[in-house]
Amino acid sequence: MAVYDYDVVVIGSGPAGEGAAMSAAKKGKRVAVVEEQDTVGGNCTHKGTIPSKALRHSVKQIIEFNTNPMFRDIGEPRWFSFPKVLNRAEKVISNQVMLRTNFYARNRVDVFFGRAQFSKPGEVIIEGHSNAREVLRGKNFVIATGSSPYTPEDIDFDHPRIYNSDTILKLSHTPRTLVIYGAGVIGCEYASIFSGLGVKVDLIDTRDRLLSFLDSEISDALSYHLRNNAVKILHNEEYQSVEGDGHGVIINLKSGKRIRADAFLWCNGRTGNTAHLGLENIGLSANNRGQLSVDGHYHTEAEGVYAVGDVVGWPSLASAALDQGRAAAADMLNGDDFRYINEVPTGIYTIPEISSIGKTEEELTAEAVPYEAGQAFFKDTARAQISGEPVGMLKILFHRETLEILGIHCFGDQASEIVHIGQAIMAQEGEANTLKYFINTTFNYPTMAEAYRVAAIAGLNRIDNL
């Protein structure tokens, strides 16, 4: 059994693990990464962010082809199967794996493939895919093992027509009807994807409105456009039983409703991947969702052990996970570039996209903040008319007296890109965070960014009339 010594041992090669490993290696430390899958990238690359967003992009292109009158000169609307669209996503995954493998090679980070388990403080044992066992000793450890779909025991996920958000990527046919249970971010994204392929989707929401953490105007817009694409949304519902047979799946709800579909997709909750880490051997324990508790510097209760990414819970975003990994590396190496990750834009890749940062109207109202809203509707902007993407809007929330930007909310094409302009202004200190920036700055024309100027002028007009 081979034994290796490192300054830093990172468990998991998703965004969080990669961020920690690269930062530590750049600062001259000897770093090892352990990855349970056969290639690097973690669940983000293989099961989550990358494949789902690649799927979404392909479906969006199909929708554009089938709805744009200009393409009728080429041919009639085309139907694409889910496996065919998935093939495009697999190519993106391969490119990402190649890119990330080169990162580790260039920075001389050793990568071990297998399952890591703490045997005692300062040491992990790796059970390799070839039954080989290796021991890694480290001064510091970073747990970045990510999360997996929560799967209740009373649902048979071995049935060929019952899927979760990981196994759906192995779907080998295109169902005519699909029930998605759970209307969180993942559920709403897959509802957009499958409805875009012409699948009749029932989206079961256990709450009273979609994505209740969003500004209600944005949430309402998402509900409207999902319904406009033939997605049936059922709010305040819970399952009684899920029964698979040779023809499909029957979902019995506690309300007495009964739904039959060709396939069933479970998207209700995720669990931190900590079950096989041997945490008890270093004095740690996970909560009932498999998550680890950390302090403001991503320390766990075990000396020299950090945890970052989905395994610590909120915000469970690839973007934040990468920065959390970098922050943990900065802290363990006493760097002056540590920051706690708490200002994170929301990026939701439904069709259309949603992105936001800062306070919602509901939060500002509850806090009795004197705010005003400026809005720009994409249908009124030249760039959206040119690109044929008129759906959506940009909303700027700002303080009525100081003009400080308090929140940015965007719904529509390229929302996840557009939000960054507002984010940059919100991050400025003091009087530099002001609505006037958007009015006194010349934006390229025509662009989607021009919506900031339109929204800012609309907002000023509202308070000028007070």
Side-chain angles (χ1 to χ4, degrees):
M1 188 163 53
V3 180
Y4 305 91
D5 290 294
Y6 291 94
D7 296 311
V8 182
V9 175
V10 180
I11 305 174
S13 70
E18 181 182 298
M22 293 298 114
S23 294
K26 295 287 188 186
K27 293 175 181 176
K29 299 302 179 181
R30 190 167 185 232
V31 182
V33 169
V34 185
E35 173 53 52
E36 186 175 15
Q37 301 184 71
D38 294 333
T39 52
V40 298
N43 287 338
C44 171
T45 296
H46 296 279
K47 300 175 182 178
T49 302
I50 296 302
S52 64
K53 278 51 177 181
L55 273 170
R56 176 200 177 276
H57 179 73
S58 296
V59 170
K60 189 171 178 295
Q61 288 181 311
I62 294 169
I63 293 172
E64 182 178 2
F65 179 85
N66 286 338
T67 57
N68 192 327
M70 185 179 71
F71 291 126
R72 295 290 66 77
D73 293 337
I74 300 174
E76 294 302 310
R78 303 297 175 89
W79 180 83
F80 290 82
S81 68
F82 183 80
K84 188 170 185 178
V85 176
L86 188 60
N87 185 54
R88 163 63 182 163
E90 290 171 348
K91 293 178 181 177
V92 177
I93 292 171
S94 297
N95 290 337
Q96 284 285 304
V97 168
M98 185 184 306
L99 178 73
R100 306 203 119 63
T101 300
N102 288 336
F103 286 167
Y104 293 112
R106 284 205 313 268
N107 289 280
R108 299 184 179 181
V109 174
D110 295 336
V111 181
F112 296 81
F113 293 101
R115 175 175 288 179
Q117 184 177 65
F118 286 99
S119 54
K120 61 181 181 180
E123 183 177 285
V124 294
I125 295 177
I126 302 172
E127 297 285 351
H129 298 309
S130 60
N131 294 323
R133 302 183 78 197
E134 295 168 299
V135 175
L136 305 185
R137 295 190 300 218
K139 298 175 184 176
N140 289 286
F141 290 81
V142 180
I143 299 174
T145 47
S147 64
S148 299
Y150 164 69
T151 51
E153 294 181 357
D154 59 345
I155 296 179
D156 180 14
F157 286 94
D158 291 328
H159 191 278
R161 292 178 182 264
I162 297 177
Y163 302 88
N164 61 43
S165 55
D166 282 357
T167 58
I168 195 67
L169 297 173
K170 303 297 182 184
L171 181 65
S172 59
H173 68 287
T174 307
R176 292 173 302 167
T177 55
L178 173 70
V179 169
I180 299 177
Y181 188 88
V185 172
I186 297 173
C188 288
E189 288 180 347
Y190 272 111
S192 289
I193 289 170
F194 278 99
S195 64
L197 289 172
V199 178
K200 292 183 179 179
V201 176
D202 282 54
L203 180 61
I204 300 175
D205 185 10
T206 59
R207 302 182 181 183
D208 57 1
R209 73 180 178 96
L210 295 183
L211 306 179
S212 56
F213 59 88
L214 292 175
D215 186 276
S216 62
E217 194 168 8
I218 303 297
S219 175
D220 291 345
L222 174 63
S223 295
Y224 170 81
H225 285 285
L226 284 176
R227 289 189 171 104
N228 194 47
N229 289 324
V231 175
K232 183 175 177 58
I233 304 172
L234 294 85
H235 291 296
N236 295 313
E237 297 281 5
E238 293 184 31
Y239 79 94
Q240 182 74 44
S241 64
V242 178
E243 306 165 2
D245 57 30
H247 303 288
V249 184
I250 296 175
I251 299 90
N252 296 296
L253 301 178
K254 290 183 179 180
S255 65
K257 296 183 182 70
R258 187 178 176 91
I259 306 170
R260 172 177 278 281
D262 291 341
F264 175 85
L265 172 57
W266 175 271
C267 294
N268 199 43
R270 295 184 69 83
T271 302
N273 295 327
T274 54
H276 304 291
L277 283 175
L279 296 177
E280 66 279 2
N281 295 325
I282 56 171
L284 284 182
S285 61
N287 65 17
N288 60 355
R289 299 192 60 160
Q291 297 167 345
L292 294 172
S293 296
V294 293
D295 64 13
H297 284 251
Y298 301 105
H299 300 147
T300 67
E301 295 177 353
E303 181 68 26
V305 179
Y306 294 76
V308 289
D310 279 17
V311 79
V312 303
W314 184 91
S316 296
L317 294 169
S319 55
L322 180 67
D323 286 341
Q324 288 174 340
R326 295 175 62 234
D331 185 84
M332 74 175 65
L333 302 176
N334 298 314
D336 58 3
D337 54 344
F338 173 84
R339 69 182 179 96
Y340 184 74
I341 314 303
N342 58 356
E343 291 293 332
V344 182
T346 298
I348 302 171
Y349 294 86
T350 47
I351 302 174
E353 289 179 20
I354 296 170
S355 195
S356 65
I357 189 167
K359 299 284 188 176
T360 65
E361 288 206 54
E362 293 73 30
E363 290 171 333
L364 293 173
T365 299
E367 295 169 11
V369 175
Y371 80 94
E372 191 51 84
Q375 294 177 310
F377 294 93
F378 292 165
K379 65 183 176 60
D380 299 324
T381 63
R383 184 60 180 267
Q385 293 169 1
I386 291 168
S387 63
E389 297 284 357
V391 171
M393 52 88 75
L394 172 69
K395 177 160 67 172
I396 305 175
L397 305 180
F398 62 96
H399 196 284
R400 191 177 65 222
E401 296 161 3
T402 67
L403 303 186
E404 174 189 0
I405 307 299
L406 304 172
I408 303 288
H409 304 276
C410 189
F411 176 78
D413 188 47
Q414 302 181 56
S416 59
E417 301 281 356
I418 294 168
V419 75
H420 292 138
I421 300 171
Q423 179 187 19
I425 303 307
M426 285 181 66
Q428 303 307 304
E429 296 181 359
E431 294 181 358
N433 176 4
T434 175
L435 186 74
K436 289 184 177 179
Y437 171 85
F438 302 119
I439 295 171
N440 299 330
T441 298
T442 302
F443 288 89
N444 280 333
Y445 178 85
T447 60
M448 296 302 292
E450 181 204 1
Y452 276 99
R453 180 179 59 81
V454 175
I457 292 174
L460 275 188
N461 287 340
R462 288 183 64 84
I463 61 175
D464 284 345
N465 293 327
L466 294 177

